């Protein structure tokens, strides 16, 4: 059994045993690998967002939270690759980190055969990307958390004329399209609603302060030459 198949089987075995704990030694014996290999596999799954928990001690072991996992999915390989293409284009967006973990969960929940076919098909697809990208990798993740938790965020922002300013922003919403993503919020420096292109944010830091509640309708500023519509989530 190769590692990819073993990771899938490991998740399914823990799901079947939950909520009972299973020791690393028992898992190693089942999959005919060393305890160290199983522990590396479990760590990789945890880093990928699979909700696996461990207890230490004689009665300890590993278990999986069924309520936060997907049962085996009937995605076809082509459907899985279509999802991967969409999520792959989320790079640089405020939810790019979540897109990567979502894809890992989808593939882990597919059957071993379909997952292998999807990976083979994905290997025949290439996405074009800019040659240079000087955007700090942490910026989209910080802005995602700012909107999700409604925390005031401090931005180092470069405007269209190349002038850099530091400003505290009360985040309200994201908007974006094919070429750019924007953070919409209340700018305390300007005392008004503003739209910030995410690729012009050089640094972003969360503050401890919770932002006042504002709805999207409270913010009148929108990106130029754009019609804003709600994200369809069905």
């Amino acid at each position: 059994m190769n590692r990819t198949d073993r990771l899938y089987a490991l998740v399914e075995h823990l799901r079947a045993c939950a909520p009972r704990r299973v020791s690393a030694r028992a898992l190693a014996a089942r999959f005919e690998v060393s305890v160290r290999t199983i522990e590396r596999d479990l760590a990789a799954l945890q880093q990928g967002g699979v909700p696996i928990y461990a207890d230490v001690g004689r009665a300890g072991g590993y278990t999986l939270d069924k309520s936060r996992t997907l049962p085996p999915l009937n995605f076809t390989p082509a459907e899985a690759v279509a999802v991967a293409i969409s999520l792959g284009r989320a790079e640089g967006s405020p939810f790019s980190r979540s897109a990567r973990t979502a894809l890992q969960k989808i593939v882990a929940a597919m059957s071993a055969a379909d997952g292998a076919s999807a990976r083979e098909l994905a290997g025949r697809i290439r996405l074009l990307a800019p040659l240079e990208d000087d955007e700090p990798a942490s910026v989209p993740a910080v802005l995602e958390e700012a909107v999700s938790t409604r925390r005031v965020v401090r931005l180092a922002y470069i405007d269209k004329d190349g002038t850099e300013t530091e400003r505290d922003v009360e985040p309200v919403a994201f908007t974006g399209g094919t070429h750019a993503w924007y953070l919409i919020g209340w700018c305390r420096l300007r005392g008004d609603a503003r739209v910030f292109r995410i690729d012009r944010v050089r640094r972003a830091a969360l503050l401890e302060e919770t932002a006042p509640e504002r709805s999207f309708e409270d913010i009148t500023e929108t990106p130029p030459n754009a019609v804003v519509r709600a994200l369809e989530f069905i």
Side-chain angles (χ1 to χ4, degrees):
M1 180 183 293
N2 62 38
R3 186 170 189 248
T4 299
D5 292 340
R6 187 174 66 248
L7 290 175
Y8 171 80
L10 186 55
V11 171
E12 290 308 302
H13 181 64
L14 290 175
R15 181 184 286 114
C17 293
R20 178 170 59 87
R21 264 70 171 163
V22 185
S23 70
R25 187 175 299 277
L27 291 170
R30 178 180 179 85
F31 294 101
E32 300 180 341
V33 294
S34 68
V35 171
R36 186 174 181 180
T37 296
I38 280 293
E39 289 175 341
R40 282 200 299 263
D41 288 348
L42 292 164
L45 289 167
Q46 288 171 321
Q47 290 171 6
V50 180
I52 295 173
Y53 304 99
D55 292 329
V56 298
R58 177 175 294 182
Y62 294 88
T63 189
L64 181 143
D65 184 351
K66 283 186 174 182
S67 67
R68 297 183 58 197
T69 62
L70 295 169
L73 298 177
N74 60 350
F75 275 83
T76 67
E79 288 172 337
V81 169
V83 172
I85 290 172
S86 297
L87 295 179
R89 294 193 179 279
E91 196 63 38
S93 76
F95 292 92
S96 56
R97 180 180 57 179
S98 297
R100 287 191 295 271
T101 58
L103 182 58
Q104 290 168 353
K105 290 177 182 178
I106 289 172
V107 175
M110 294 174 68
S111 70
D114 284 347
S117 296
R119 282 185 289 273
E120 191 277 330
L121 180 57
R124 290 185 270 132
I125 295 171
R126 299 291 185 271
L127 300 177
L128 298 178
L131 291 176
E132 295 182 0
D133 184 5
D134 58 357
E135 178 185 352
S138 62
V139 166
V142 172
L143 298 183
E144 173 188 340
E145 186 172 353
V147 172
S148 299
T149 60
R150 217 175 76 242
R151 295 258 298 279
V152 178
V153 62
R154 180 163 293 163
L155 306 180
Y157 186 73
I158 297 179
D159 65 20
K160 62 182 180 180
D161 298 319
T163 302
E164 181 172 333
T165 56
E166 184 175 276
R167 52 185 81 195
D168 293 351
V169 177
E170 300 169 10
V172 174
F174 290 117
T175 186
T178 304
H179 302 294
W181 277 87
Y182 302 84
L183 171 70
I184 300 177
W186 184 266
C187 176
R188 292 181 173 177
L189 178 66
R190 304 303 184 202
D192 201 354
R194 286 291 186 272
V195 173
F196 303 94
R197 270 187 62 145
I198 290 178
D199 58 2
R200 290 180 182 161
V201 178
R202 288 296 170 261
R203 294 179 302 281
L206 288 176
L207 304 184
E208 294 299 323
E209 182 183 355
T210 300
E213 277 203 61
R214 300 179 190 272
S215 68
F216 183 83
E217 288 70 27
D218 294 332
I219 304 297
T220 57
E221 186 85 7
T222 57
N225 303 318
V227 176
V228 177
R229 62 178 177 85
L231 174 68
E232 296 179 358
F233 195 78
I234 55 175

